Amino acid sequence: MRLMLTLGDLMARARSAAPVLEGWLDEAAPDLAMSVRSAAAARGESPAAFARAALVEFDRYAGPEAWTRLTGRLHAAGDPGLACLEEMVRWRLSTAPALPMEDAR
């Protein structure tokens, strides 16, 4: 049985226990986990910081099409937390690099 976490759970765990987030992502979306590790390393941040930044940047900068795609995925998602995180992270992976989360305060 796979534990379904909410996005809030994921972000709280990302702040306090990066290995938990990475382990969950490895199990839930291995291809995405590899992409996150690679992109995070290129930006000099941890995978957990990359995921947190994806959430913040999506909220601040995503356009209407990205929000529509996200809400559409949530309606049919078996795991809304994963669907939300995955959509936001994939969006960040496809956009221009921003400041690492630690610097974007």
Side-chain angles (χ1 to χ4, degrees), residues 11-87:
M11 293 298 97
R13 288 184 180 192
R15 282 185 209 96
S16 63
V20 172
L21 176 76
E22 290 181 52
W24 177 81
L25 195 56
D26 284 336
E27 182 182 321
D31 64 318
L32 185 59
M34 285 182 22
S35 296
V36 167
R37 281 193 184 89
S38 177
R43 291 176 171 90
E45 54 191 15
S46 71
F50 184 90
R52 288 193 309 270
L55 174 73
V56 170
E57 290 176 4
F58 190 94
D59 182 52
R60 288 183 187 162
Y61 305 117
E65 298 85 15
W67 279 101
T68 300
R69 192 171 43 253
L70 172 66
T71 56
R73 287 204 54 210
L74 291 177
H75 288 293
D79 185 339
L82 174 61
C84 190
L85 180 63
E86 182 178 359
E87 192 64 36

